[in-house]
Amino acid sequence: MSKNLANFSHFQALEDGRIDENMLALSIGLATTGVYGLARAVNSEQWYRNIILHDSLYSCEQLLEFVYPELAKQNSWKLPVWYYISKANIKSELAEEKAPTLYSDIVTESMIKNTRSAIGNRTTWQIWRDENNNLLKAIRLLSCIPEEKVDIVQYQNILETIFRENINILSSLDSPNRSNLNRMIRIYDFLKYGQKKTP
C-alpha cells in the first residue's frame, strides 16, 4: 500500500459510533479502488473550492500526485495549483511546469480592455460593494480586473463570502459565469500562493 494511503487503514466495526462517516466512505473507496479511485473521486469544482474553503478530505500530496495529472488534462491544464504546491510536502514537476507564472497567463490584456470602462477607478472592494446586488456582474468584473487593482485580502474575503452563501455555486452556474468564478480563484491562487514560487 502506498505510504500516502496508509493513514486510511482503520480496522473497526462499521457500526462503531466513533468512526466519522466521511472518513469511512473515503476508506472504503480507497480500499476498493486504490489510487485510481481517488483520481476519479475529485472533480474540478471540488478542486477549485478547496483552494478557498480547504474542505477536501484528501491531502495536498494526494491531490497533486493522484488527481492533478488527469484532472488538469481534462481542464486544458488551467487548474489552479499554487495553493497545492505551496502546502504539499512533495514536489510535483508536472504541476510546477503547468502553473501560471504571469498574471497575463490568467487575465489577458483583451479581457482587461473589455471591462476597463465598467471597472473605472474602483478598487476590488468598491466593485464588490457597488455590484453586490448583481452577483454575476460582480464576478465578471472581478475576474478581469488588472493586477495592480487586486487587494488580495479583500479578494479572499469576497471569494469566501461567495462560497459561504452558496457552497455549490460552481455547479449552479452556466459555463460562462462558472469560467469567470474559476478565473477569480485562479487569480487568487496565483497572487496569494504563486508569486512566492516564481523567480
Side-chain angles (χ1 to χ4, degrees), residues 40-154:
R40 293 191 297 269
V42 178
N43 60 31
S44 58
E45 175 188 344
Q46 294 165 325
W47 182 278
Y48 275 91
R49 189 180 67 209
N50 185 51
I51 293 172
I52 308 304
L53 300 183
H54 315 308
D55 62 344
S56 178
L57 293 172
Y58 309 104
S59 69
C60 288
E61 289 82 5
Q62 290 170 323
L63 291 167
L64 277 179
E65 186 173 358
F66 302 121
V67 176
Y68 177 75
E70 186 59 33
L71 191 62
K73 188 190 301 182
Q74 294 170 11
N75 287 268
S76 304
W77 302 102
K78 290 185 177 180
L79 282 183
V81 292
W82 284 119
Y83 165 74
Y84 297 98
I85 291 170
S86 70
K87 300 298 180 184
N89 292 319
I90 61 169
K91 182 177 177 63
S92 173
E93 292 183 1
L94 178 62
E96 292 193 23
E97 176 191 342
K98 298 295 185 179
T101 56
L102 297 171
Y103 192 79
S104 58
D105 293 335
I106 303 167
V107 183
T108 66
E109 185 57 40
S110 63
M111 291 176 184
I112 294 173
K113 182 178 179 181
N114 289 338
T115 56
R116 183 172 288 133
S117 60
I119 290 173
N121 294 321
R122 292 183 293 176
T123 65
T124 304
W125 194 254
Q126 286 171 332
I127 294 170
W128 176 249
R129 183 196 61 200
D130 295 346
E131 310 294 349
N132 194 251
N133 62 335
N134 188 339
L135 178 61
L136 298 183
K137 182 180 180 182
I139 290 172
R140 178 174 62 83
L141 295 179
L142 289 168
S143 72
C144 297
I145 194 168
E147 181 177 3
E148 64 272 12
K149 284 183 172 291
V150 180
D151 180 306
I152 198 62
V153 174
Q154 294 176 353

